[in-house]
Amino acid sequence: RGMVGGRVTTTANEGIQTDSTTLTSLISVDPPRGTRDFPPEDMRLRSWLFQHFREVSRLFAFEEIDFPVLESEELFVRKAGEEITQQLYNFEDKGGRRVALRPELTPSLARLVLQKGKSLSLPLKWFAIGQCWRYERMTRGRRREHYQWNMDIIGISGVEAEAELLSAIVTFFTRLGITASDVGIKISNRKVLQAVLARYSIPDESFAAVCVIVDKIEKLPRSEIENELAALQVPSDAIDGILQALTLKSLDDLEDLLGAESGAVAELKQLFALADGYGFSDWLNFDASVVRGLAYYTGTVFEAFDRERKLRAICGGGRYDQLLSTYGGADTPACGFGFGDAVIIELLKERKLMPELGHVVDDVVLALEDHLKAPAAMVAAHLRNAGRVVDLVLETKRLKWVFKHTERLHAKRLVLLGATEWNRGTLRVKDLITREESDVTLDDLLT
Ligand SMILES: Nc1ccc(Br)nc1
């Protein structure tokens, strides 16, 4: 859709200029491909969701943080073949800097922890809600942005940290009316895979890349998985060992495979014991097939899934004890999760748990004559000071329009300023629920 008539000039740094006489066809009114607008109704649902994110974070005494959506590209450059780095929304800015729209929040959190360094007293319990980006071919028609809630605990090496994060996730689901019969949380530990790889003398350097490939096990044919693992010099007998380990469904089986001294077994047993203490054991399943697709996980990994298995993972996370040191910082234990804003809404729709969120207006205030506009403004201010949500009609409107307007807003009251009433110090009020009308004083309005 170009300009209709007129001149379009483009200069290097101002972008497209049009002369004022140019008649233009409608500009594209849609947001960029793969992105969303949030008109009022959608924004109310998003605000409702984020309010629950924030209230759960507050209950767990986490502090909110935030960082730029734009980061240096180097923060996300990893060599483990993750989809998240292959779809980086990266570019060179006008200063020639390599930058990227963040695909996740954890690297920014790690950067902030390293930036603050010794001024921080560990452990940190931080949370953030931020928009994350990916650039993928629109052929897949998938979104390019979503909002993610993250909670992270920095400085605790024990699985008590994971237990606290899992408790926050369960608390969140419970607040929304979701139960353990709707959602389960698969728990595993990358030390399982580490132990199996060690038996086949696979070098540690391949560990992250192997995890990224193994994470795709349920999405790709086995032959593809075998090819990708073979490319990492993982011999086919090791592949059988890996795949066999991933089918384990109980800690006893895991102990049989790894032995009673296994660190993974000990951590998992401790985590399940803590879950018992919190009272959310029935949400958890040990499932060795959970690997997660991020390269930097080193220990516990988990993901919440809908037990009807209709939806993608609802949220996920794990321990990432090496991330800060890969950025050149001191070794610092850390774990966290990411919770996206899309699948949870699909789940709420599936379970008929979507909230009814109206635009709540208490009073509509209208001056029936122009010379009463200032008094109407005073009445509105008075009501607002008392905490009432007031829609002050800003133009001279006929009553017919105003009644329609109060219906559209589902307002509770209509407050009219008419000359005769105002001269004797009263206002005409119509209760839009009982339909009663009365003349009252300003003070009566607030009783
Ligand atoms: N990492 C990432 C970013 C954006 C979307 Br949509 N999904 C995943």
Side-chain angles (χ1 to χ4, degrees):
R1 284 173 289 189
M3 300 295 180
V4 176
R7 286 178 304 107
V8 175
T9 56
T10 45
T11 49
N13 50 14
E14 267 113 47
I16 292 179
Q17 308 286 337
T18 60
D19 57 43
S20 56
T21 59
T22 304
L23 290 179
T24 60
S25 63
L26 185 62
I27 57 159
S28 160
V29 291
D30 297 321
R33 295 172 70 127
T35 70
R36 297 165 293 173
D37 293 317
F38 287 87
E41 186 182 358
D42 298 340
M43 194 62 201
R44 281 198 288 274
L45 178 61
R46 176 177 136 186
S47 300
W48 171 85
L49 187 69
F50 287 17
Q51 191 180 333
H52 282 292
F53 287 160
R54 284 204 164 81
E55 283 177 16
V56 170
S57 304
R58 189 180 58 78
L59 277 177
F60 282 71
F62 278 57
E63 296 176 273
E64 186 162 11
I65 55 171
D66 194 9
F67 0 72
V69 71
L70 184 74
E71 285 278 13
S72 164
E73 184 186 48
E74 67 175 349
L75 207 56
F76 309 110
V77 172
R78 302 194 289 254
K79 306 219 178 351
E82 301 149 280
E83 184 178 72
I84 201 170
T85 56
Q86 291 165 348
Q87 296 179 335
L88 200 56
Y89 209 128
N90 56 345
F91 55 96
E92 188 156 309
D93 73 9
K94 288 187 163 69
R97 289 174 194 78
R98 295 297 307 168
V99 290
L101 297 181
R102 66 191 173 201
E104 55 171 332
L105 303 178
T106 309
S108 301
L109 179 138
R111 176 179 63 71
L112 184 58
V113 172
L114 292 175
Q115 176 199 125
K116 294 297 179 191
K118 300 244 180 313
S119 71
L120 293 173
S121 55
L122 300 183
L124 302 174
K125 295 178 182 177
W126 285 354
F127 83 95
I129 302 173
Q131 192 174 39
C132 296
W133 293 81
R134 67 182 172 196
Y135 189 91
E136 68 169 18
R137 296 274 160 268
M138 272 327 273
T139 42
R140 288 186 64 172
R142 295 200 300 174
R143 297 230 309 268
R144 286 183 175 156
E145 54 78 22
H146 72 170
Y147 284 84
Q148 243 198 33
W149 169 41
N150 279 210
M151 290 180 84
D152 291 84
I153 298 177
I154 311 293
I156 299 289
S157 52
V159 294
E160 290 84 353
E162 286 92 321
E164 187 75 341
L165 294 173
L166 289 165
S167 178
I169 291 170
V170 167
T171 302
F172 174 80
F173 282 131
T174 306
R175 288 166 71 94
L176 272 55
I178 292 162
T179 69
S181 53
D182 298 319
V183 166
I185 303 175
K186 295 177 192 166
I187 308 282
S188 187
N189 193 309
R190 280 198 172 172
K191 288 179 179 169
V192 173
L193 212 45
Q194 202 174 18
V196 169
L197 295 183
R199 292 184 173 184
Y200 297 93
S201 321
I202 311 287
D204 286 351
E205 293 67 42
S206 310
F207 177 62
V210 169
C211 289
V212 171
I213 294 167
V214 170
D215 175 61
K216 297 182 278 190
I217 208 124
E218 286 167 1
K219 298 157 208 156
L220 295 177
R222 168 159 174 158
S223 55
E224 168 96 28
I225 299 290
E226 289 184 345
N227 293 342
E228 291 190 30
L229 286 175
L232 288 175
Q233 281 78 47
V234 176
S236 58
D237 63 329
I239 294 172
D240 292 337
I242 290 167
L243 298 178
Q244 194 263 332
L246 293 181
T247 57
L248 295 175
K249 290 280 191 270
S250 80
L251 288 187
D252 290 345
D253 293 348
L254 186 67
E255 192 160 357
D256 293 347
L257 177 78
L258 299 184
E261 305 309 307
S262 150
V265 172
E267 284 182 14
L268 286 160
K269 281 184 174 173
Q270 193 192 356
L271 184 51
F272 279 91
L274 286 165
D276 245 358
Y278 279 99
F280 61 78
S281 298
D282 49 354
W283 290 74
L284 304 190
N285 302 66
F286 166 68
D287 185 332
S289 72
V290 179
V291 180
R292 300 296 292 165
L294 292 171
Y296 49 70
Y297 287 136
T298 55
T300 309
V301 281
F302 54 83
E303 73 188 29
F305 66 100
D306 90 283
R307 291 195 190 276
E308 286 186 7
R309 298 184 187 283
K310 287 183 186 165
L311 307 173
R312 307 182 309 284
I314 302 161
C315 67
R319 177 162 288 279
Y320 53 96
D321 288 345
Q322 306 298 319
L323 185 62
L324 278 82
S325 51
T326 59
Y327 288 142
D331 243 2
T332 313
C335 64
F337 68 78
F339 200 127
D341 68 345
V343 180
I344 181 64
I345 297 300
E346 292 169 42
L347 176 71
L348 290 171
K349 286 176 180 167
E350 280 284 321
R351 296 289 191 286
K352 310 269 183 282
L353 287 169
M354 285 289 279
E356 298 200 353
L357 306 167
H359 172 41
V360 176
V361 173
D362 295 320
D363 301 321
V364 170
V365 174
L366 166 73
L368 287 168
E369 295 169 43
D370 278 353
H371 73 276
L372 292 173
K373 282 191 181 280
M378 180 274 289
V379 170
H382 190 74
L383 293 168
R384 286 165 177 161
N385 288 340
R388 288 186 69 87
V389 176
V390 177
D391 176 81
L392 175 61
V393 177
L394 302 177
E395 305 151 293
T396 308
K397 286 286 186 186
R398 295 157 40 80
L399 265 184
K400 191 162 170 289
W401 180 90
V402 173
F403 281 121
K404 246 199 155 345
H405 182 61
T406 58
E407 275 163 28
R408 266 199 315 274
L409 290 183
H410 305 297
K412 298 186 181 71
R413 277 190 325 191
L414 173 57
V415 179
L416 298 169
L417 281 82
T420 35
E421 294 83 0
W422 187 247
N423 289 341
R424 56 172 189 256
T426 63
L427 304 145
R428 210 152 79 233
V429 178
K430 184 178 177 76
D431 185 313
L432 298 166
I433 295 158
T434 63
R435 314 307 299 169
E436 277 166 34
E437 289 200 31
S438 53
D439 279 358
V440 300
T441 65
L442 189 53
D443 291 345
D444 294 342
L445 272 183
L446 289 175
T447 49

